[in-house]
Tab-separated table of all heavy atoms in Angstrom:
chain	number	residue	atom	x	y	z
A	1	HIS	N	105.119	121.362	86.498
A	1	HIS	CA	103.793	120.877	86.108
A	1	HIS	C	103.700	119.361	86.254
A	1	HIS	O	102.750	118.838	86.857
A	1	HIS	CB	103.488	121.282	84.669
A	1	HIS	CG	102.344	120.523	84.063
A	1	HIS	ND1	101.023	120.770	84.372
A	1	HIS	CD2	102.344	119.477	83.176
A	1	HIS	CE1	100.240	119.914	83.707
A	1	HIS	NE2	101.018	119.135	82.971
A	2	PHE	N	104.703	118.657	85.721
A	2	PHE	CA	104.638	117.197	85.758
A	2	PHE	C	104.909	116.636	87.163
A	2	PHE	O	104.442	115.551	87.493
A	2	PHE	CB	105.581	116.590	84.726
A	2	PHE	CG	105.031	116.639	83.333
A	2	PHE	CD1	105.592	117.478	82.374
A	2	PHE	CD2	103.917	115.881	82.979
A	2	PHE	CE1	105.064	117.536	81.092
A	2	PHE	CE2	103.378	115.938	81.702
A	2	PHE	CZ	103.956	116.779	80.756
A	3	GLU	N	105.640	117.394	87.977
A	3	GLU	CA	105.806	116.980	89.369
A	3	GLU	C	104.471	117.040	90.100
A	3	GLU	O	104.112	116.126	90.864
A	3	GLU	CB	106.843	117.873	90.064
A	3	GLU	CG	108.276	117.540	89.668
A	3	GLU	CD	109.271	118.569	90.158
A	3	GLU	OE1	108.829	119.620	90.700
A	3	GLU	OE2	110.494	118.341	90.008
A	4	LYS	N	103.692	118.113	89.850
A	4	LYS	CA	102.356	118.226	90.447
A	4	LYS	C	101.414	117.166	89.868
A	4	LYS	O	100.609	116.562	90.585
A	4	LYS	CB	101.788	119.629	90.192
A	4	LYS	CG	102.500	120.735	90.963
A	4	LYS	CD	101.892	122.098	90.648
A	4	LYS	CE	102.608	123.201	91.406
A	4	LYS	NZ	102.047	124.540	91.078
A	5	TYR	N	101.535	116.938	88.572
A	5	TYR	CA	100.705	115.923	87.904
A	5	TYR	C	101.001	114.533	88.472
A	5	TYR	O	100.094	113.743	88.732
A	5	TYR	CB	100.998	115.970	86.401
A	5	TYR	CG	100.230	114.972	85.570
A	5	TYR	CD1	98.876	115.135	85.335
A	5	TYR	CD2	100.875	113.874	85.002
A	5	TYR	CE1	98.168	114.225	84.561
A	5	TYR	CE2	100.178	112.954	84.228
A	5	TYR	CZ	98.833	113.140	84.017
A	5	TYR	OH	98.132	112.232	83.259
A	6	TYR	N	102.284	114.256	88.699
A	6	TYR	CA	102.709	112.977	89.278
A	6	TYR	C	102.084	112.768	90.657
A	6	TYR	O	101.532	111.697	90.956
A	6	TYR	CB	104.232	112.947	89.353
A	6	TYR	CG	104.817	111.799	90.154
A	6	TYR	CD1	104.768	110.499	89.675
A	6	TYR	CD2	105.424	112.034	91.382
A	6	TYR	CE1	105.300	109.451	90.411
A	6	TYR	CE2	105.970	110.997	92.118
A	6	TYR	CZ	105.902	109.700	91.628
A	6	TYR	OH	106.428	108.665	92.357
A	7	GLU	N	102.153	113.797	91.510
A	7	GLU	CA	101.581	113.694	92.852
A	7	GLU	C	100.069	113.483	92.793
A	7	GLU	O	99.509	112.715	93.578
A	7	GLU	CB	101.908	114.950	93.667
A	7	GLU	CG	103.383	115.121	93.997
A	7	GLU	CD	103.940	113.960	94.810
A	7	GLU	OE1	103.182	113.362	95.599
A	7	GLU	OE2	105.145	113.642	94.654
A	8	GLN	N	99.420	114.144	91.851
A	8	GLN	CA	97.968	114.002	91.712
A	8	GLN	C	97.597	112.610	91.232
A	8	GLN	O	96.623	112.003	91.710
A	8	GLN	CB	97.425	115.063	90.749
A	8	GLN	CG	95.906	115.082	90.644
A	8	GLN	CD	95.243	115.418	91.965
A	8	GLN	OE1	95.743	116.247	92.725
A	8	GLN	NE2	94.113	114.782	92.249
A	9	MET	N	98.356	112.080	90.300
A	9	MET	CA	98.074	110.734	89.790
A	9	MET	C	98.286	109.686	90.881
A	9	MET	O	97.545	108.707	90.986
A	9	MET	CB	98.965	110.418	88.583
A	9	MET	CG	98.654	111.231	87.341
A	9	MET	SD	96.955	110.996	86.698
A	9	MET	CE	96.115	112.430	87.392
A	10	LYS	N	99.311	109.875	91.725
A	10	LYS	CA	99.529	108.968	92.857
A	10	LYS	C	98.350	109.018	93.811
A	10	LYS	O	97.881	107.981	94.297
A	10	LYS	CB	100.814	109.339	93.608
A	10	LYS	CG	102.078	108.844	92.967
A	10	LYS	CD	103.219	108.720	93.974
A	10	LYS	CE	103.484	110.005	94.720
A	10	LYS	NZ	104.620	109.880	95.673
A	11	LYS	N	97.861	110.233	94.082
A	11	LYS	CA	96.740	110.408	94.998
A	11	LYS	C	95.483	109.718	94.464
A	11	LYS	O	94.712	109.131	95.220
A	11	LYS	CB	96.482	111.901	95.195
A	11	LYS	CG	95.464	112.228	96.280
A	11	LYS	CD	95.239	113.737	96.370
A	11	LYS	CE	96.517	114.458	96.795
A	11	LYS	NZ	96.275	115.922	96.952
A	12	GLN	N	95.304	109.763	93.142
A	12	GLN	CA	94.125	109.151	92.519
A	12	GLN	C	94.289	107.655	92.267
A	12	GLN	O	93.325	106.977	91.903
A	12	GLN	CB	93.814	109.862	91.193
A	12	GLN	CG	93.381	111.302	91.367
A	12	GLN	CD	93.215	112.043	90.052
A	12	GLN	OE1	93.191	113.270	90.031
A	12	GLN	NE2	93.093	111.329	88.954
A	13	GLY	N	95.517	107.164	92.438
A	13	GLY	CA	95.764	105.752	92.160
A	13	GLY	C	95.737	105.431	90.678
A	13	GLY	O	95.464	104.300	90.277
A	14	ASP	N	96.043	106.421	89.861
A	14	ASP	CA	96.049	106.263	88.399
A	14	ASP	C	97.461	105.842	87.966
A	14	ASP	O	98.344	106.678	87.783
A	14	ASP	CB	95.661	107.585	87.740
A	14	ASP	CG	95.494	107.474	86.228
A	14	ASP	OD1	96.123	106.583	85.609
A	14	ASP	OD2	94.736	108.281	85.657
A	15	ILE	N	97.662	104.532	87.797
A	15	ILE	CA	98.995	104.017	87.497
A	15	ILE	C	99.514	104.506	86.153
A	15	ILE	O	100.677	104.889	86.026
A	15	ILE	CB	99.004	102.471	87.530
A	15	ILE	CG1	98.573	101.969	88.917
A	15	ILE	CG2	100.395	101.942	87.188
A	15	ILE	CD1	99.450	102.444	90.053
A	16	GLN	N	98.644	104.503	85.140
A	16	GLN	CA	99.098	104.969	83.831
A	16	GLN	C	99.462	106.442	83.880
A	16	GLN	O	100.422	106.889	83.245
A	16	GLN	CB	98.032	104.719	82.765
A	16	GLN	CG	98.491	105.023	81.338
A	16	GLN	CD	99.753	104.259	80.957
A	16	GLN	OE1	99.796	103.037	81.085
A	16	GLN	NE2	100.774	104.964	80.485
A	17	GLY	N	98.715	107.208	84.683
A	17	GLY	CA	99.040	108.621	84.854
A	17	GLY	C	100.391	108.795	85.523
A	17	GLY	O	101.170	109.678	85.152
A	18	VAL	N	100.682	107.954	86.507
A	18	VAL	CA	101.985	107.985	87.179
A	18	VAL	C	103.091	107.691	86.178
A	18	VAL	O	104.128	108.372	86.148
A	18	VAL	CB	102.022	106.965	88.335
A	18	VAL	CG1	103.448	106.767	88.838
A	18	VAL	CG2	101.131	107.429	89.483
A	19	ILE	N	102.885	106.664	85.348
A	19	ILE	CA	103.879	106.297	84.338
A	19	ILE	C	104.118	107.456	83.357
A	19	ILE	O	105.259	107.794	83.031
A	19	ILE	CB	103.433	105.030	83.583
A	19	ILE	CG1	103.519	103.814	84.517
A	19	ILE	CG2	104.274	104.801	82.327
A	19	ILE	CD1	102.909	102.554	83.949
A	20	ASN	N	103.017	108.066	82.912
A	20	ASN	CA	103.138	109.183	81.962
A	20	ASN	C	103.915	110.349	82.583
A	20	ASN	O	104.797	110.943	81.941
A	20	ASN	CB	101.751	109.659	81.537
A	20	ASN	CG	101.017	108.634	80.699
A	20	ASN	OD1	101.626	107.719	80.153
A	20	ASN	ND2	99.704	108.766	80.596
A	21	ALA	N	103.581	110.663	83.839
A	21	ALA	CA	104.247	111.780	84.511
A	21	ALA	C	105.731	111.499	84.683
A	21	ALA	O	106.584	112.373	84.410
A	21	ALA	CB	103.595	112.027	85.872
A	22	MET	N	106.076	110.286	85.125
A	22	MET	CA	107.478	109.945	85.353
A	22	MET	C	108.265	109.924	84.047
A	22	MET	O	109.445	110.283	84.013
A	22	MET	CB	107.582	108.603	86.059
A	22	MET	CG	107.059	108.642	87.490
A	22	MET	SD	107.440	107.137	88.363
A	22	MET	CE	109.210	107.279	88.481
A	23	THR	N	107.633	109.487	82.979
A	23	THR	CA	108.303	109.469	81.674
A	23	THR	C	108.636	110.886	81.230
A	23	THR	O	109.753	111.167	80.762
A	23	THR	CB	107.415	108.782	80.623
A	23	THR	OG1	107.132	107.448	81.044
A	23	THR	CG2	108.111	108.738	79.273
A	24	HIS	N	107.685	111.798	81.384
A	24	HIS	CA	107.934	113.193	81.021
A	24	HIS	C	109.033	113.796	81.893
A	24	HIS	O	109.913	114.520	81.398
A	24	HIS	CB	106.649	114.011	81.171
A	24	HIS	CG	105.718	113.885	80.008
A	24	HIS	ND1	104.703	112.960	79.966
A	24	HIS	CD2	105.662	114.556	78.832
A	24	HIS	CE1	104.044	113.072	78.829
A	24	HIS	NE2	104.602	114.033	78.115
A	25	LEU	N	108.984	113.493	83.195
A	25	LEU	CA	110.005	114.028	84.102
A	25	LEU	C	111.395	113.505	83.744
A	25	LEU	O	112.381	114.245	83.835
A	25	LEU	CB	109.655	113.669	85.547
A	25	LEU	CG	108.513	114.478	86.168
A	25	LEU	CD1	108.071	113.856	87.489
A	25	LEU	CD2	108.938	115.937	86.377
A	26	ASP	N	111.463	112.249	83.337
A	26	ASP	CA	112.769	111.690	82.984
A	26	ASP	C	113.300	112.277	81.682
A	26	ASP	O	114.510	112.384	81.497
A	26	ASP	CB	112.672	110.164	82.862
A	26	ASP	CG	114.041	109.511	82.776
A	26	ASP	OD1	114.883	109.805	83.646
A	26	ASP	OD2	114.280	108.736	81.831
A	27	VAL	N	112.395	112.659	80.804
A	27	VAL	CA	112.822	113.334	79.564
A	27	VAL	C	113.349	114.734	79.898
A	27	VAL	O	114.376	115.176	79.377
A	27	VAL	CB	111.655	113.421	78.561
A	27	VAL	CG1	112.016	114.348	77.392
A	27	VAL	CG2	111.295	112.041	78.038
A	28	LEU	N	112.651	115.416	80.804
A	28	LEU	CA	113.036	116.787	81.156
A	28	LEU	C	114.288	116.828	82.031
A	28	LEU	O	115.129	117.715	81.878
A	28	LEU	CB	111.875	117.463	81.896
A	28	LEU	CG	110.647	117.792	81.044
A	28	LEU	CD1	109.464	118.138	81.932
A	28	LEU	CD2	110.951	118.955	80.091
A	29	ALA	N	114.387	115.869	82.971
A	29	ALA	CA	115.535	115.835	83.892
A	29	ALA	C	115.937	114.387	84.123
A	29	ALA	O	115.578	113.799	85.144
A	29	ALA	CB	115.176	116.519	85.203
A	30	PRO	N	116.661	113.805	83.183
A	30	PRO	CA	116.994	112.374	83.253
A	30	PRO	C	117.813	112.033	84.495
A	30	PRO	O	118.704	112.785	84.893
A	30	PRO	CB	117.822	112.138	81.979
A	30	PRO	CG	117.512	113.289	81.078
A	30	PRO	CD	117.237	114.442	81.984
A	31	SER	N	117.482	110.890	85.110
A	31	SER	CA	118.279	110.381	86.225
A	31	SER	C	118.061	108.876	86.310
A	31	SER	O	116.975	108.375	85.985
A	31	SER	CB	117.894	111.037	87.549
A	31	SER	OG	116.675	110.522	88.035
A	32	GLN	N	119.093	108.164	86.759
A	32	GLN	CA	118.980	106.721	86.874
A	32	GLN	C	117.962	106.340	87.947
A	32	GLN	O	117.216	105.364	87.795
A	32	GLN	CB	120.338	106.094	87.207
A	32	GLN	CG	120.351	104.568	87.133
A	32	GLN	CD	119.960	104.041	85.768
A	32	GLN	OE1	120.520	104.463	84.755
A	32	GLN	NE2	118.992	103.135	85.715
C-alpha cells in the first residue's frame, strides 16, 4: 500500500506525502 502511495505522491509532486510514505515504509521494512 505504502509503496503505491509513495509512487502516487511522487507523481503528484507532493513532498510531504513522499516523506510520509517513506517513513511508513522504513518502519515496516527498515533499511539504511
Side-chain angles (χ1 to χ4, degrees):
H1 164 76
F2 282 110
E3 284 170 353
K4 291 179 181 178
Y5 179 72
Y6 170 71
E7 293 300 329
Q8 186 62 37
M9 292 299 98
K10 280 203 305 181
K11 188 182 296 183
Q12 294 174 198
D14 186 334
I15 301 301
Q16 187 55 54
V18 167
I19 290 171
N20 292 342
M22 292 189 68
T23 301
H24 279 93
L25 285 169
D26 192 52
V27 169
L28 290 166
S31 76
Q32 189 58 52

